[in-house]
Amino acid sequence: MIIVMKPGASEDQVQHVVDLVRDFGLKEHVIHGTDRTVVACIGDKRHVDKSAIENASMVERVVPVLAPYKMASREVRGERTQIRVGPRQFPLGGRQVGIIAGPCSIESREQILLLADVAQKAGCIGLRGGAFKPRTSPYAFQGLREEGLKLLAEARARTGLAVFTEVMSIEQIPLVSELCDVLQIGARNMHNYALLEAVGKADKPVLLKRGLSATLEEFLLAAEYIINAGNEQVILCERGIRTFEDYVRNTLPLAVVPELNDKTHLPVVVDPSHGTGHAHLVPAMCRAAVAAGADGIILECHNDPEHASSDGAQSITPATLYELMPVLKRIAQAIDRDV
Ligand code: PEP
Ligand code: MN
């Protein structure tokens, strides 16, 4: 249920509505829009006297939210949410499309600094790199862990890029929050509700990847866990889903982008690297993602893909990234955006 206040409602009038909502045992989220304030109510509505709220002063209307995800829903917040990331506070979800590039895993100081310089020179807004890696095999490279995070922080200080890295468990959150800008929840952890609630208590933006076999509704309900725990800075990331198809590692369903833009106010980022698994498919999927209305792209880039510790096959080279960026800019401009 959302309570839409009339334009010009005072803080006291909003507070009065909040008090009523609490009296009915509901939890409130107050959203200040450009011209009006909305009070979203979460909880069991069976004992709510809707007319008592409707009669409060400066209440325009009370409307039910039909989607099972509430705070993530476009019904609750009509305007798109912009999430500012990194030292330069780039607004993901604004007019400009943000490109984030970097290796799957941080492998060494030389490697991450080199790729940070590449990303910066190419015009990216962010640098990605895994320090804690969720590998399918326990014998595969697991990441440089804390040392990797420190190298990422060094790359950030050197370039001013926003740094994105995965947090795999609750214990890692304080350290990752201290050293990085955006906490990535990997596809394998989209259903880890304890972890979602824990990043919901962190004060950093979260990049939430869609689970390998999650429906859109499950994806948005995972975002709802984070928002409901107190963190409204959720960036959704489509990274491909598992299908019967085997010429790609995952199938990248780009229709998700306009569908999410319709259903939610949260920014949507596409990962064409995990979404295809093959470097030669990545540039075309980046072009298509921008054309489809994505707010950002997160891709894997490596200076020596053949010797990468993880995901070399899907990592584009710096030369490909340099060629791609001006093309993405032209596509963005064709739909009144920019890169
Ligand atoms: C990654 O970003 O390197 C990664 C492991 O992604 P995903 O969780 O989407 O598989
Ligand atoms: Mn990877």
Side-chain angles (χ1 to χ4, degrees), residues 55-183:
N55 289 334
S57 90
M58 292 301 270
V59 168
E60 187 172 283
R61 60 186 192 278
V62 178
V63 267
V65 176
L66 300 177
Y69 41 87
K70 309 288 176 194
M71 300 305 300
S73 152
R74 200 88 204 247
E75 295 171 62
V76 164
R77 190 195 287 252
E79 304 151 32
R80 302 212 60 79
T81 290
Q82 293 188 12
I83 298 178
R84 294 189 175 267
V85 296
R88 305 212 171 106
Q89 295 284 285
F90 177 85
L92 266 174
R95 180 170 174 272
Q96 208 174 333
V97 181
I99 314 295
I100 300 126
C104 177
S105 306
I106 302 156
E107 296 165 8
S108 67
R109 182 166 182 271
E110 296 66 43
Q111 176 240 24
I112 194 68
L113 295 185
L114 184 151
L115 290 166
D117 290 347
V118 166
Q120 185 193 36
K121 196 169 141 207
C124 297
I125 62 103
L127 173 69
R128 59 148 292 146
F132 298 101
K133 295 303 303 177
R135 304 305 301 281
T136 303
S137 162
Y139 308 119
F141 176 61
Q142 303 286 313
L144 292 185
R145 300 166 187 250
E146 185 165 347
E147 186 198 337
L149 292 179
K150 289 186 178 147
L151 296 173
L152 205 52
E154 185 181 345
R156 171 189 196 262
R158 175 182 167 112
T159 57
L161 293 169
V163 292
F164 289 61
T165 201
E166 176 160 355
V167 32
M168 280 174 58
S169 69
I170 296 175
E171 309 83 76
Q172 293 163 1
I173 296 173
L175 188 66
V176 177
S177 304
E178 185 192 320
L179 295 169
C180 302
D181 299 306
V182 181
L183 311 179

Side-chain angles (χ1 to χ4, degrees), residues 47-319:
H47 306 296
V48 174
D49 177 2
K50 199 173 155 225
S51 61
I53 298 174
E54 272 165 345
N55 289 334
S57 90
M58 292 301 270
V59 168
E60 187 172 283
R61 60 186 192 278
V62 178
V63 267
V65 176
L66 300 177
Y69 41 87
K70 309 288 176 194
M71 300 305 300
S73 152
R74 200 88 204 247
E75 295 171 62
V76 164
R77 190 195 287 252
E79 304 151 32
R80 302 212 60 79
T81 290
Q82 293 188 12
I83 298 178
R84 294 189 175 267
V85 296
R88 305 212 171 106
Q89 295 284 285
F90 177 85
L92 266 174
R95 180 170 174 272
Q96 208 174 333
V97 181
I99 314 295
I100 300 126
C104 177
S105 306
I106 302 156
E107 296 165 8
S108 67
R109 182 166 182 271
E110 296 66 43
Q111 176 240 24
I112 194 68
L113 295 185
L114 184 151
L115 290 166
D117 290 347
V118 166
Q120 185 193 36
K121 196 169 141 207
C124 297
I125 62 103
L127 173 69
R128 59 148 292 146
F132 298 101
K133 295 303 303 177
R135 304 305 301 281
T136 303
S137 162
Y139 308 119
F141 176 61
Q142 303 286 313
L144 292 185
R145 300 166 187 250
E146 185 165 347
E147 186 198 337
L149 292 179
K150 289 186 178 147
L151 296 173
L152 205 52
E154 185 181 345
R156 171 189 196 262
R158 175 182 167 112
T159 57
L161 293 169
V163 292
F164 289 61
T165 201
E166 176 160 355
V167 32
M168 280 174 58
S169 69
I170 296 175
E171 309 83 76
Q172 293 163 1
I173 296 173
L175 188 66
V176 177
S177 304
E178 185 192 320
L179 295 169
C180 302
D181 299 306
V182 181
L183 311 179
Q184 178 175 322
I185 298 292
R188 293 160 188 78
N189 268 321
M190 192 212 83
H191 294 285
N192 182 342
Y193 300 118
L195 183 62
L196 298 179
E197 282 180 343
V199 294
K201 297 199 175 78
D203 64 354
K204 290 281 169 172
V206 176
L207 180 93
L208 175 66
K209 290 193 145 196
R210 180 184 185 179
L212 277 74
S213 61
T215 63
L216 267 207
E217 188 168 302
E218 288 163 345
F219 187 23
L220 287 168
L221 282 167
E224 191 78 9
Y225 262 94
I226 302 172
I227 302 174
N228 190 43
N231 189 348
E232 296 187 5
Q233 304 184 81
V234 182
I235 302 155
L236 300 169
C237 178
E238 172 58 63
R239 49 77 74 205
I241 49 173
R242 187 165 277 193
T243 68
F244 55 85
E245 191 54 85
D246 62 4
Y247 79 100
V248 278
R249 177 180 177 188
N250 292 293
T251 297
L252 185 63
L254 283 176
V256 151
V257 175
E259 184 66 6
L260 284 175
N261 283 341
D262 201 42
K263 291 212 152 50
T264 174
H265 51 87
L266 300 171
V268 179
V269 163
V270 171
D271 174 349
S273 307
H274 295 87
T276 61
H278 301 289
H280 73 278
L281 299 175
V282 168
M285 290 301 97
C286 290
R287 301 195 294 265
V290 172
D295 297 304
I297 289 175
I298 183 162
L299 60 85
E300 290 182 341
C301 178
H302 200 287
N303 52 306
D304 185 8
E306 285 183 9
H307 297 102
S309 301
S310 55
D311 287 351
Q314 65 190 32
S315 299
I316 61 169
T317 59

